[in-house]
PDB file of all heavy atoms in Angstrom:
ATOM      1  N   LYS A   1     126.813 100.524  97.288  1.00  0.00           N
ATOM      2  CA  LYS A   1     127.362 101.752  96.721  1.00  0.00           C
ATOM      3  C   LYS A   1     128.792 102.016  97.187  1.00  0.00           C
ATOM      4  O   LYS A   1     129.439 102.958  96.714  1.00  0.00           O
ATOM      5  CB  LYS A   1     126.459 102.941  97.078  1.00  0.00           C
ATOM      6  CG  LYS A   1     125.080 102.851  96.432  1.00  0.00           C
ATOM      7  CD  LYS A   1     124.189 104.029  96.767  1.00  0.00           C
ATOM      8  CE  LYS A   1     124.495 105.236  95.910  1.00  0.00           C
ATOM      9  NZ  LYS A   1     124.137 105.049  94.491  1.00  0.00           N
ATOM     10  N   GLY A   2     129.273 101.183  98.116  1.00  0.00           N
ATOM     11  CA  GLY A   2     130.649 101.334  98.588  1.00  0.00           C
ATOM     12  C   GLY A   2     130.868 102.580  99.415  1.00  0.00           C
ATOM     13  O   GLY A   2     131.978 103.152  99.410  1.00  0.00           O
ATOM     14  N   LEU A   3     129.841 103.006 100.162  1.00  0.00           N
ATOM     15  CA  LEU A   3     129.943 104.240 100.936  1.00  0.00           C
ATOM     16  C   LEU A   3     130.468 103.972 102.344  1.00  0.00           C
ATOM     17  O   LEU A   3     130.200 102.930 102.941  1.00  0.00           O
ATOM     18  CB  LEU A   3     128.575 104.920 101.006  1.00  0.00           C
ATOM     19  CG  LEU A   3     128.010 105.358  99.638  1.00  0.00           C
ATOM     20  CD1 LEU A   3     126.587 105.872  99.794  1.00  0.00           C
ATOM     21  CD2 LEU A   3     128.899 106.420  98.995  1.00  0.00           C
ATOM     22  N   PHE A   4     131.204 104.918 102.860  1.00  0.00           N
ATOM     23  CA  PHE A   4     131.819 104.847 104.178  1.00  0.00           C
ATOM     24  C   PHE A   4     130.743 105.193 105.209  1.00  0.00           C
ATOM     25  O   PHE A   4     130.162 106.272 105.176  1.00  0.00           O
ATOM     26  CB  PHE A   4     132.981 105.824 104.227  1.00  0.00           C
ATOM     27  CG  PHE A   4     133.760 105.833 105.512  1.00  0.00           C
ATOM     28  CD1 PHE A   4     133.866 104.714 106.314  1.00  0.00           C
ATOM     29  CD2 PHE A   4     134.426 106.993 105.899  1.00  0.00           C
ATOM     30  CE1 PHE A   4     134.594 104.719 107.487  1.00  0.00           C
ATOM     31  CE2 PHE A   4     135.173 107.022 107.071  1.00  0.00           C
ATOM     32  CZ  PHE A   4     135.247 105.894 107.864  1.00  0.00           C
ATOM     33  N   TYR A   5     130.468 104.272 106.140  1.00  0.00           N
ATOM     34  CA  TYR A   5     129.442 104.530 107.150  1.00  0.00           C
ATOM     35  C   TYR A   5     129.801 103.847 108.462  1.00  0.00           C
ATOM     36  O   TYR A   5     130.628 102.941 108.510  1.00  0.00           O
ATOM     37  CB  TYR A   5     128.070 104.058 106.663  1.00  0.00           C
ATOM     38  CG  TYR A   5     127.898 102.554 106.610  1.00  0.00           C
ATOM     39  CD1 TYR A   5     127.337 101.846 107.679  1.00  0.00           C
ATOM     40  CD2 TYR A   5     128.274 101.828 105.479  1.00  0.00           C
ATOM     41  CE1 TYR A   5     127.176 100.463 107.620  1.00  0.00           C
ATOM     42  CE2 TYR A   5     128.105 100.460 105.408  1.00  0.00           C
ATOM     43  CZ  TYR A   5     127.550  99.781 106.485  1.00  0.00           C
ATOM     44  OH  TYR A   5     127.400  98.425 106.431  1.00  0.00           O
ATOM     45  N   GLU A   6     129.132 104.301 109.510  1.00  0.00           N
ATOM     46  CA  GLU A   6     129.250 103.689 110.833  1.00  0.00           C
ATOM     47  C   GLU A   6     127.849 103.485 111.396  1.00  0.00           C
ATOM     48  O   GLU A   6     126.977 104.337 111.225  1.00  0.00           O
ATOM     49  CB  GLU A   6     130.062 104.575 111.774  1.00  0.00           C
ATOM     50  CG  GLU A   6     131.534 104.696 111.394  1.00  0.00           C
ATOM     51  CD  GLU A   6     132.307 105.620 112.328  1.00  0.00           C
ATOM     52  OE1 GLU A   6     131.646 106.273 113.188  1.00  0.00           O
ATOM     53  OE2 GLU A   6     133.537 105.690 112.201  1.00  0.00           O
ATOM     54  N   THR A   7     127.650 102.348 112.062  1.00  0.00           N
ATOM     55  CA  THR A   7     126.342 102.049 112.640  1.00  0.00           C
ATOM     56  C   THR A   7     126.242 102.586 114.061  1.00  0.00           C
ATOM     57  O   THR A   7     127.138 102.385 114.877  1.00  0.00           O
ATOM     58  CB  THR A   7     126.091 100.534 112.664  1.00  0.00           C
ATOM     59  OG1 THR A   7     126.220 100.009 111.344  1.00  0.00           O
ATOM     60  CG2 THR A   7     124.702 100.225 113.196  1.00  0.00           C
ATOM     61  N   THR A   8     125.140 103.264 114.336  1.00  0.00           N
ATOM     62  CA  THR A   8     124.780 103.634 115.706  1.00  0.00           C
ATOM     63  C   THR A   8     123.556 102.803 116.075  1.00  0.00           C
ATOM     64  O   THR A   8     122.515 102.886 115.404  1.00  0.00           O
ATOM     65  CB  THR A   8     124.450 105.128 115.823  1.00  0.00           C
ATOM     66  OG1 THR A   8     125.629 105.891 115.562  1.00  0.00           O
ATOM     67  CG2 THR A   8     123.945 105.472 117.225  1.00  0.00           C
ATOM     68  N   TRP A   9     123.689 101.976 117.095  1.00  0.00           N
ATOM     69  CA  TRP A   9     122.616 101.068 117.479  1.00  0.00           C
ATOM     70  C   TRP A   9     121.661 101.775 118.432  1.00  0.00           C
ATOM     71  O   TRP A   9     122.088 102.385 119.409  1.00  0.00           O
ATOM     72  CB  TRP A   9     123.181  99.814 118.128  1.00  0.00           C
ATOM     73  CG  TRP A   9     124.097  99.040 117.225  1.00  0.00           C
ATOM     74  CD1 TRP A   9     125.454  99.019 117.246  1.00  0.00           C
ATOM     75  CD2 TRP A   9     123.700  98.178 116.149  1.00  0.00           C
ATOM     76  NE1 TRP A   9     125.940  98.201 116.259  1.00  0.00           N
ATOM     77  CE2 TRP A   9     124.888  97.670 115.565  1.00  0.00           C
ATOM     78  CE3 TRP A   9     122.476  97.791 115.612  1.00  0.00           C
ATOM     79  CZ2 TRP A   9     124.868  96.793 114.486  1.00  0.00           C
ATOM     80  CZ3 TRP A   9     122.452  96.916 114.539  1.00  0.00           C
ATOM     81  CH2 TRP A   9     123.635  96.425 113.994  1.00  0.00           C
ATOM     82  N   VAL A  10     120.370 101.673 118.160  1.00  0.00           N
ATOM     83  CA  VAL A  10     119.343 102.372 118.927  1.00  0.00           C
ATOM     84  C   VAL A  10     118.298 101.365 119.394  1.00  0.00           C
ATOM     85  O   VAL A  10     117.691 100.667 118.574  1.00  0.00           O
ATOM     86  CB  VAL A  10     118.655 103.463 118.070  1.00  0.00           C
ATOM     87  CG1 VAL A  10     117.666 104.255 118.916  1.00  0.00           C
ATOM     88  CG2 VAL A  10     119.686 104.385 117.434  1.00  0.00           C
ATOM     89  N   GLU A  11     118.079 101.297 120.706  1.00  0.00           N
ATOM     90  CA  GLU A  11     117.063 100.385 121.235  1.00  0.00           C
ATOM     91  C   GLU A  11     115.666 100.924 120.915  1.00  0.00           C
ATOM     92  O   GLU A  11     115.450 102.135 120.779  1.00  0.00           O
ATOM     93  CB  GLU A  11     117.226 100.231 122.751  1.00  0.00           C
ATOM     94  CG  GLU A  11     118.568  99.660 123.193  1.00  0.00           C
ATOM     95  CD  GLU A  11     118.729  98.169 122.930  1.00  0.00           C
ATOM     96  OE1 GLU A  11     117.739  97.531 122.485  1.00  0.00           O
ATOM     97  OE2 GLU A  11     119.831  97.645 123.165  1.00  0.00           O
ATOM     98  N   TYR A  12     114.700 100.030 120.784  1.00  0.00           N
ATOM     99  CA  TYR A  12     113.344 100.396 120.378  1.00  0.00           C
ATOM    100  C   TYR A  12     112.758 101.580 121.163  1.00  0.00           C
ATOM    101  O   TYR A  12     112.191 102.502 120.550  1.00  0.00           O
ATOM    102  CB  TYR A  12     112.412  99.198 120.512  1.00  0.00           C
ATOM    103  CG  TYR A  12     112.091  98.528 119.207  1.00  0.00           C
ATOM    104  CD1 TYR A  12     112.598  97.273 118.910  1.00  0.00           C
ATOM    105  CD2 TYR A  12     111.269  99.134 118.258  1.00  0.00           C
ATOM    106  CE1 TYR A  12     112.312  96.640 117.701  1.00  0.00           C
ATOM    107  CE2 TYR A  12     110.981  98.513 117.052  1.00  0.00           C
ATOM    108  CZ  TYR A  12     111.502  97.273 116.788  1.00  0.00           C
ATOM    109  OH  TYR A  12     111.216  96.663 115.598  1.00  0.00           O
ATOM    110  N   PRO A  13     112.833 101.590 122.513  1.00  0.00           N
ATOM    111  CA  PRO A  13     112.188 102.689 123.238  1.00  0.00           C
ATOM    112  C   PRO A  13     112.819 104.052 122.970  1.00  0.00           C
ATOM    113  O   PRO A  13     112.228 105.084 123.319  1.00  0.00           O
ATOM    114  CB  PRO A  13     112.381 102.296 124.714  1.00  0.00           C
ATOM    115  CG  PRO A  13     112.709 100.854 124.699  1.00  0.00           C
ATOM    116  CD  PRO A  13     113.426 100.596 123.421  1.00  0.00           C
ATOM    117  N   ASP A  14     114.007 104.075 122.361  1.00  0.00           N
ATOM    118  CA  ASP A  14     114.718 105.334 122.148  1.00  0.00           C
ATOM    119  C   ASP A  14     114.564 105.891 120.734  1.00  0.00           C
ATOM    120  O   ASP A  14     115.083 106.977 120.439  1.00  0.00           O
ATOM    121  CB  ASP A  14     116.217 105.131 122.438  1.00  0.00           C
ATOM    122  CG  ASP A  14     116.467 104.604 123.845  1.00  0.00           C
ATOM    123  OD1 ASP A  14     115.711 104.992 124.760  1.00  0.00           O
ATOM    124  OD2 ASP A  14     117.404 103.809 124.022  1.00  0.00           O
ATOM    125  N   ILE A  15     113.852 105.173 119.864  1.00  0.00           N
ATOM    126  CA  ILE A  15     113.791 105.572 118.454  1.00  0.00           C
ATOM    127  C   ILE A  15     113.077 106.910 118.266  1.00  0.00           C
ATOM    128  O   ILE A  15     113.572 107.803 117.567  1.00  0.00           O
ATOM    129  CB  ILE A  15     113.118 104.477 117.602  1.00  0.00           C
ATOM    130  CG1 ILE A  15     114.028 103.241 117.515  1.00  0.00           C
ATOM    131  CG2 ILE A  15     112.802 105.001 116.201  1.00  0.00           C
ATOM    132  CD1 ILE A  15     113.392 102.054 116.812  1.00  0.00           C
ATOM    133  N   VAL A  16     111.919 107.079 118.868  1.00  0.00           N
ATOM    134  CA  VAL A  16     111.153 108.314 118.684  1.00  0.00           C
ATOM    135  C   VAL A  16     111.949 109.508 119.189  1.00  0.00           C
ATOM    136  O   VAL A  16     112.064 110.542 118.499  1.00  0.00           O
ATOM    137  CB  VAL A  16     109.794 108.227 119.399  1.00  0.00           C
ATOM    138  CG1 VAL A  16     109.081 109.574 119.355  1.00  0.00           C
ATOM    139  CG2 VAL A  16     108.919 107.158 118.762  1.00  0.00           C
ATOM    140  N   GLU A  17     112.506 109.402 120.388  1.00  0.00           N
ATOM    141  CA  GLU A  17     113.287 110.500 120.968  1.00  0.00           C
ATOM    142  C   GLU A  17     114.482 110.842 120.087  1.00  0.00           C
ATOM    143  O   GLU A  17     114.786 112.022 119.855  1.00  0.00           O
ATOM    144  CB  GLU A  17     113.755 110.114 122.371  1.00  0.00           C
ATOM    145  CG  GLU A  17     114.536 111.214 123.069  1.00  0.00           C
ATOM    146  CD  GLU A  17     114.970 110.814 124.460  1.00  0.00           C
ATOM    147  OE1 GLU A  17     114.496 109.772 124.965  1.00  0.00           O
ATOM    148  OE2 GLU A  17     115.802 111.527 125.051  1.00  0.00           O
ATOM    149  N   LEU A  18     115.172 109.810 119.583  1.00  0.00           N
ATOM    150  CA  LEU A  18     116.320 110.044 118.706  1.00  0.00           C
ATOM    151  C   LEU A  18     115.893 110.808 117.457  1.00  0.00           C
ATOM    152  O   LEU A  18     116.518 111.806 117.085  1.00  0.00           O
ATOM    153  CB  LEU A  18     116.960 108.722 118.288  1.00  0.00           C
ATOM    154  CG  LEU A  18     117.920 108.854 117.101  1.00  0.00           C
ATOM    155  CD1 LEU A  18     119.283 109.305 117.577  1.00  0.00           C
ATOM    156  CD2 LEU A  18     118.005 107.592 116.284  1.00  0.00           C
ATOM    157  N   CYS A  19     114.852 110.326 116.779  1.00  0.00           N
ATOM    158  CA  CYS A  19     114.413 110.953 115.532  1.00  0.00           C
ATOM    159  C   CYS A  19     114.048 112.418 115.745  1.00  0.00           C
ATOM    160  O   CYS A  19     114.417 113.292 114.946  1.00  0.00           O
ATOM    161  CB  CYS A  19     113.232 110.193 114.944  1.00  0.00           C
ATOM    162  SG  CYS A  19     113.659 108.561 114.281  1.00  0.00           S
ATOM    163  N   LYS A  20     113.331 112.697 116.817  1.00  0.00           N
ATOM    164  CA  LYS A  20     112.959 114.083 117.100  1.00  0.00           C
ATOM    165  C   LYS A  20     114.185 114.925 117.424  1.00  0.00           C
ATOM    166  O   LYS A  20     114.291 116.083 116.996  1.00  0.00           O
ATOM    167  CB  LYS A  20     111.960 114.124 118.261  1.00  0.00           C
ATOM    168  CG  LYS A  20     110.592 113.569 117.907  1.00  0.00           C
ATOM    169  CD  LYS A  20     109.646 113.650 119.092  1.00  0.00           C
ATOM    170  CE  LYS A  20     108.245 113.158 118.717  1.00  0.00           C
ATOM    171  NZ  LYS A  20     107.324 113.229 119.878  1.00  0.00           N
ATOM    172  N   ALA A  21     115.138 114.337 118.153  1.00  0.00           N
ATOM    173  CA  ALA A  21     116.329 115.082 118.565  1.00  0.00           C
ATOM    174  C   ALA A  21     117.204 115.479 117.391  1.00  0.00           C
ATOM    175  O   ALA A  21     117.792 116.566 117.370  1.00  0.00           O
ATOM    176  CB  ALA A  21     117.130 114.269 119.580  1.00  0.00           C
ATOM    177  N   ILE A  22     117.306 114.595 116.388  1.00  0.00           N
ATOM    178  CA  ILE A  22     118.192 114.885 115.255  1.00  0.00           C
ATOM    179  C   ILE A  22     117.439 115.509 114.079  1.00  0.00           C
ATOM    180  O   ILE A  22     118.043 115.875 113.075  1.00  0.00           O
ATOM    181  CB  ILE A  22     118.939 113.626 114.777  1.00  0.00           C
ATOM    182  CG1 ILE A  22     117.984 112.596 114.179  1.00  0.00           C
ATOM    183  CG2 ILE A  22     119.763 113.026 115.915  1.00  0.00           C
ATOM    184  CD1 ILE A  22     118.679 111.382 113.583  1.00  0.00           C
ATOM    185  N   GLY A  23     116.117 115.648 114.211  1.00  0.00           N
ATOM    186  CA  GLY A  23     115.338 116.271 113.144  1.00  0.00           C
ATOM    187  C   GLY A  23     114.972 115.349 112.009  1.00  0.00           C
ATOM    188  O   GLY A  23     114.727 115.808 110.891  1.00  0.00           O
ATOM    189  N   ALA A  24     114.895 114.040 112.276  1.00  0.00           N
ATOM    190  CA  ALA A  24     114.484 113.086 111.236  1.00  0.00           C
ATOM    191  C   ALA A  24     112.974 113.152 111.046  1.00  0.00           C
ATOM    192  O   ALA A  24     112.217 113.205 112.014  1.00  0.00           O
ATOM    193  CB  ALA A  24     114.897 111.672 111.621  1.00  0.00           C
ATOM    194  N   GLU A  25     112.541 113.138 109.802  1.00  0.00           N
ATOM    195  CA  GLU A  25     111.110 113.128 109.515  1.00  0.00           C
ATOM    196  C   GLU A  25     110.503 111.778 109.893  1.00  0.00           C
ATOM    197  O   GLU A  25     111.193 110.749 109.869  1.00  0.00           O
ATOM    198  CB  GLU A  25     110.867 113.396 108.029  1.00  0.00           C
ATOM    199  CG  GLU A  25     111.246 114.792 107.573  1.00  0.00           C
ATOM    200  CD  GLU A  25     110.895 115.011 106.121  1.00  0.00           C
ATOM    201  OE1 GLU A  25     110.421 114.057 105.466  1.00  0.00           O
ATOM    202  OE2 GLU A  25     111.094 116.135 105.636  1.00  0.00           O
ATOM    203  N   PRO A  26     109.225 111.754 110.233  1.00  0.00           N
ATOM    204  CA  PRO A  26     108.574 110.450 110.460  1.00  0.00           C
ATOM    205  C   PRO A  26     108.613 109.629 109.185  1.00  0.00           C
ATOM    206  O   PRO A  26     108.590 110.165 108.076  1.00  0.00           O
ATOM    207  CB  PRO A  26     107.144 110.830 110.853  1.00  0.00           C
ATOM    208  CG  PRO A  26     106.954 112.225 110.346  1.00  0.00           C
ATOM    209  CD  PRO A  26     108.292 112.872 110.397  1.00  0.00           C
ATOM    210  N   SER A  27     108.700 108.321 109.331  1.00  0.00           N
ATOM    211  CA  SER A  27     108.735 107.460 108.157  1.00  0.00           C
ATOM    212  C   SER A  27     107.377 107.382 107.477  1.00  0.00           C
ATOM    213  O   SER A  27     107.276 107.082 106.286  1.00  0.00           O
ATOM    214  CB  SER A  27     109.217 106.056 108.537  1.00  0.00           C
ATOM    215  OG  SER A  27     108.427 105.539 109.586  1.00  0.00           O
TER     216      SER A  27
END
């Protein structure tokens, strides 16, 4: 889609904490 983005790399043990912290819904 040609969208401007930046990658933030997240290690496996930090995924749940990250999602909860930013308000991401469970997949």
Side-chain angles (χ1 to χ4, degrees):
K1 294 181 81 68
L3 297 173
F4 182 29
Y5 72 94
E6 292 178 353
T7 304
T8 294
W9 300 102
V10 184
E11 299 286 355
Y12 257 109
D14 303 325
I15 291 174
V16 173
E17 182 179 349
L18 165 83
C19 290
K20 290 181 177 180
I22 66 175
E25 293 184 357
S27 54

